[in-house]
Amino acid sequence: MLILGVESSCDETGLALYDTEHGLLAHALHSQVEMHAEYGGVVPELASRDHIRRVLPLTERVLNDANKTLQDIDAIAYTQGPGLSGALLVGTSFAESLAFSLQIPTINVHHLEGHLLAPLLEDNPPAFPFVALLVSGGHSQLMRVDGIGEYTLLGDTLDDAAGEAFDKTAKLLGLGYPGGPALAKLAEHSHSNHTHSTERKSPFKLPRPLLNSGDLNFSFSGLKTAVLTLSNKHQPLDEISKADIAWEFQEAVTEVLTAKCMNALRETGLDNLVVSGGVGANAKLREKLNAATKRKLCKVSYPRLAFCTDNGAMIAFAGAMRLKAMHGKGNQSYGFSVRPRWDLAELQKP
Ligand code: KG4
Ligand code: ZN
């Protein structure tokens, strides 16, 4: 079966075609990052308008790339939530209308389920059950995943998400939006990055929030305040000091994330870790997780870098998995609503 996937929950319009026999056939993405950069963050109204402009040309592109026509599509999967309501409405109304005109079923997908399952698009996909670390701009969660729709929350952030902390800290350091990749790049220029790990000494020290809390929760908002205090104390900050702070911030976040992942594996008795979401693209996080899982003889899987951040492929794939579990029966009522707030734990087995 051929599934068209539509993602429009935030600032990326993503389209993809996934074939249940042959895998991912095509995907196309338009990122609005440049448009929002001017404002230092996503402007919801502009996001919605841009999704409207992009969704049809991107659909044409994936069809052309895969050498398929609209009539070849068997079902349409789209992100119903969580996300920005106006942005979600664009993808949702487009998907339901197109499905109505083709008289094919739709599958409403939870954006985070898309992220969670994205590593399964790669070669040697991890098998259920596994522990998943979901670290994006809006979420920092540890989950036990036993199958499609079988998610048990193990730990969550008490305040800011990991990506949000990266973005806010980057802003404090005068970096552009999105802050995560910019901050990671700046950290490469730190002195600490060039010394041998055993003698590495950061001139700045930041806390490791909740590192020894005994549970699997996170808290990142204090780190941003600590960065603010540090930079106020050392004004004016030269470029190297900024890089040193960025390096120490990245160390603090990735150290806590790695420790909690290892604790989650130990507590669940599982030996399979899956990492997804935008922060999953962070090279320092991957370096630490690779080393820690190797030491404990565990396996760790990531999506390819392009599928860590938002994309249509993960939505097409999650839709295909659900459709398969429902024996090809999706929704065929063509009424629609979006779910800007939608808890992943509410999802059910299809
Ligand atoms: O998953 P995603 O595209 O969108 C959400 O669903 O939130 O994640 C975006 C988040 C942003 O906060 C961005 O700064 C962060 O992921 N991010 C990174 C990196 N690449 C993206 N954070 C740290 N290091 C990176 N390399
Ligand atoms: Zn996302």
Side-chain angles (χ1 to χ4, degrees):
M1 284 216 274
L2 187 67
I3 288 96
L4 176 71
V6 186
E7 157 62 33
S8 74
S9 66
C10 189
D11 57 349
E12 257 115 22
T13 323
L15 272 295
L17 281 170
Y18 184 84
D19 187 315
T20 47
E21 302 260 305
H22 303 104
L24 186 66
L25 300 186
H27 68 96
L29 187 88
H30 177 79
S31 169
Q32 306 174 353
V33 157
E34 270 179 37
M35 181 178 78
H36 297 297
E38 217 182 300
Y39 305 92
V42 178
V43 185
E45 178 63 24
L46 294 184
S48 315
R49 291 186 209 167
D50 200 61
H51 286 306
I52 292 176
R53 276 194 289 274
R54 311 289 173 183
V55 70
L56 287 170
L58 288 174
T59 304
E60 268 199 304
R61 195 186 318 159
V62 291
L63 286 168
N64 287 338
D65 288 354
N67 210 5
K68 299 282 182 193
T69 67
L70 282 176
Q71 280 64 38
D72 294 322
I73 302 173
D74 295 301
I76 304 181
Y78 63 87
T79 305
Q80 191 191 20
L84 302 169
S85 51
L88 288 165
L89 268 171
V90 176
T92 301
S93 54
F94 162 73
E96 290 286 357
S97 312
L98 181 58
F100 173 66
S101 71
L102 296 170
Q103 286 297 301
I104 55 174
T106 61
I107 312 120
N108 50 321
V109 173
H110 192 294
H111 180 78
L112 297 183
E113 180 169 70
H115 274 303
L116 260 188
L117 301 178
L120 275 64
L121 275 162
E122 306 303 326
D123 294 338
N124 299 318
F128 300 117
F130 52 74
V131 168
L133 172 71
L134 187 66
V135 268
S136 69
H139 295 85
S140 296
Q141 298 184 328
L142 271 163
M143 251 158 308
R144 181 193 164 103
V145 179
D146 286 284
I148 309 291
E150 293 180 78
Y151 312 123
T152 314
L153 188 66
L154 302 172
D156 204 345
T157 181
L158 304 178
D159 39 61
D160 290 354
E164 191 179 359
F166 265 95
D167 292 338
K168 287 179 175 171
T169 303
K171 214 172 194 172
L172 286 176
L173 295 175
L175 302 173
Y177 162 86
L183 190 141
K185 199 154 180 250
L186 177 64
E188 284 174 21
H189 299 290
S190 164
H191 279 141
S192 315
N193 200 31
H194 302 297
T195 42
H196 191 266
S197 60
T198 50
E199 55 195 72
R200 197 175 269 172
K201 274 201 187 72
S202 171
F204 300 107
K205 202 68 199 153
L206 288 170
R208 289 351 186 207
L210 302 190
L211 183 62
N212 300 308
S213 61
D215 59 24
L216 298 172
N217 291 328
F218 306 102
S219 166
F220 294 117
S221 75
L223 265 180
K224 161 198 73 194
T225 316
V227 168
L228 183 64
T229 312
L230 254 189
S231 49
N232 282 342
K233 212 164 108 192
H234 294 89
Q235 283 297 331
L237 273 183
D238 58 24
E239 283 308 303
I240 287 295
S241 302
K242 271 192 199 170
D244 287 340
I245 293 178
W247 187 85
E248 173 66 7
F249 170 83
Q250 185 173 250
E251 281 295 309
V253 173
T254 55
E255 203 178 306
V256 173
L257 289 175
T258 305
K260 300 266 170 168
C261 282
M262 298 318 290
N263 290 348
L265 287 171
R266 201 186 56 238
E267 284 179 24
T268 54
L270 300 177
D271 56 6
N272 224 345
L273 176 70
V274 159
V275 182
S276 57
V279 184
N282 187 272
K284 182 59 83 179
L285 177 63
R286 289 188 176 207
E287 184 188 311
K288 283 197 192 333
L289 286 174
N290 288 343
T293 47
K294 196 169 166 199
R295 267 197 305 276
K296 296 286 179 195
L297 303 178
C298 294
K299 185 181 166 193
V300 58
S301 316
Y302 313 91
R304 71 192 78 168
L305 288 180
F307 293 167
C308 281
T309 43
D310 294 347
N311 63 86
M314 66 184 193
I315 302 303
F317 180 73
M321 292 298 103
R322 285 200 160 257
L323 195 66
K324 211 156 124 188
M326 296 183 292
H327 309 289
K329 283 196 174 54
N331 315 317
Q332 233 164 331
S333 62
Y334 307 117
F336 60 81
S337 59
V338 292
R339 304 182 74 170
R341 291 178 171 277
W342 188 5
D343 193 345
L344 187 67
E346 287 173 30
L347 280 192
Q348 310 251 316
K349 249 172 105 167

